Amino acid sequence: MREILGVMKALADENRLRIVAALHGRELCLCQIVELLGLANSTVSRHMSILYQARIVQSRKDGRWSYFRLAEQDATPAALDAVSLVLQSLQQDGKIRADAQRLKQILRVDPEILCQRRSESPC
Amino acid sequence: MREILGVMKALADENRLRIVAALHGRELCLCQIVELLGLANSTVSRHMSILYQARIVQSRKDGRWSYFRLAEQDATPAALDAVSLVLQSLQQDGKIRADAQRLKQILRVDPEILCQRRSESPC
DNA sequence: ATATCATTTCGTCATTTCGCGAACGGACGA
DNA sequence: TCGTCCGTTCGCGAAATGACGAAATGATAT
């Protein structure tokens, strides 16, 4: 019960669904997700923690950066099924499509520069 | 987005998961669910409304009684998949097993008597 | 060693959600 | 018609959730 409930709660938030969709087939660092969603980095960090505790994402640290990706071998079956269901449902969603476009732009920028730019010019 | 988000939110509550599990392969009236969960009928009615709006359950009125069952032809694919995922995950859950046992007792009682008993003796 | 940078944690606030009882509405039966 | 009954809706208080900024943490570079 606790397991499936945690998974469902983790996926019962619009911003976390956007994060899951953005991580589909990709690995992103926190500042990239922050840039995509336009939320405070503390907020995004909290979202990632919730997704992590539900075994939906894995994290990896490289120096100062934390990279996140969808869990695969480490995920529970419930989490895997829920994620693929979500991904399928969001395939044609407008907001998710817009995120994908915007993500292309973000990925063109070196993360190093991306993070610094954030503190300089709060677009 | 709205659709899948509604489904996930509807299933991100322990009592609603218990309701979904109880409705597996069965049709129940509100007072039976009230008896099973031990919550106020207004609260259960609210839960059913949330599940209904997410297209997870269907409802049917027969006289004074409202009967609920898991949606099938009327459900969206996302809702169907989510429900089967939840049912599978809860198959071996202790609390759900206990509910199933208790439900057997409840189903032995005529609903007519069950509802009346509620107002007489608040166990 | 110190400064800087990306991330996490903490404290706080606004909003949402969940629970209940009371009031309301529709349906049955006397 | 009137009372009773099941269910829904409304209004409220308590608890959970999501957002932010500030402070703390951990790692890198000067």
Side-chain angles (χ1 to χ4, degrees):
Chain A
M1 167 71 89
R2 189 173 202 166
E3 178 188 320
I4 183 67
L5 189 56
V7 170
M8 300 312 274
K9 285 193 177 188
L11 297 175
D13 176 87
E14 176 170 338
N15 286 323
R16 287 196 292 270
L17 289 185
R18 292 173 69 191
I19 292 171
V20 167
L23 289 176
H24 182 42
R26 249 186 295 266
E27 185 180 58
L28 295 174
C29 90
L30 189 81
C31 66
Q32 293 173 315
I33 305 174
V34 166
E35 182 71 17
L36 177 65
L37 299 184
L39 296 175
N41 48 12
S42 61
T43 302
V44 174
S45 180
R46 174 145 193 69
H47 282 313
M48 299 317 297
S49 167
I50 291 170
L51 290 170
Y52 180 82
Q53 286 177 358
R55 303 268 194 181
I56 290 171
V57 304
Q58 283 179 297
S59 73
R60 170 177 77 84
K61 277 199 173 177
D62 183 12
R64 287 166 289 181
W65 285 275
S66 286
Y67 291 94
F68 299 91
R69 67 187 133 149
L70 295 181
E72 294 180 359
Q73 72 278 8
D74 192 33
T76 62
L80 277 181
D81 289 349
V83 165
S84 67
L85 163 60
V86 160
L87 289 177
Q88 189 173 352
S89 293
L90 293 177
Q91 202 99 34
Q92 315 215 9
D93 181 80
K95 207 172 294 186
I96 297 301
R97 281 241 157 97
D99 280 353
Q101 284 291 47
R102 183 160 165 69
L103 194 52
K104 279 186 195 170
Q105 311 292 334
I106 294 173
L107 289 173
R108 287 207 189 102
V109 183
D110 186 334
E112 183 104 30
I113 299 170
L114 185 67
C115 293
Q116 291 180 351
R117 197 166 52 178
R118 170 146 292 276
S119 49
E120 290 167 9
S121 67
C123 44
Chain B
M1 167 70 90
R2 191 171 200 165
E3 178 187 320
I4 184 67
L5 190 56
V7 170
M8 301 313 272
K9 284 193 178 187
L11 296 175
D13 177 88
E14 175 169 339
N15 286 323
R16 287 196 289 270
L17 289 184
R18 292 173 68 191
I19 292 171
V20 167
L23 288 177
H24 182 40
R26 249 187 295 267
E27 185 180 59
L28 296 175
C29 87
L30 189 81
C31 67
Q32 292 173 314
I33 304 175
V34 166
E35 181 71 19
L36 177 66
L37 299 183
L39 297 174
N41 50 11
S42 61
T43 302
V44 174
S45 181
R46 174 153 188 67
H47 282 312
M48 299 319 295
S49 167
I50 292 170
L51 290 170
Y52 180 83
Q53 286 177 358
R55 302 268 193 179
I56 290 171
V57 303
Q58 282 179 297
S59 72
R60 170 176 76 87
K61 277 199 175 179
D62 183 11
R64 287 167 288 181
W65 284 275
S66 286
Y67 290 95
F68 299 92
R69 69 188 131 146
L70 295 181
E72 294 181 359
Q73 71 278 9
D74 193 33
T76 63
L80 277 180
D81 289 350
V83 166
S84 68
L85 162 60
V86 161
L87 289 177
Q88 188 173 350
S89 293
L90 293 177
Q91 202 101 34
Q92 315 215 8
D93 181 79
K95 207 171 293 186
I96 297 301
R97 281 241 155 99
D99 280 353
Q101 285 290 43
R102 182 160 165 70
L103 195 50
K104 279 187 195 171
Q105 310 293 333
I106 293 173
L107 289 173
R108 289 206 187 103
V109 184
D110 186 335
E112 184 105 29
I113 300 171
L114 184 68
C115 293
Q116 291 181 350
R117 197 165 54 178
R118 171 148 290 276
S119 49
E120 290 168 6
S121 67
C123 45

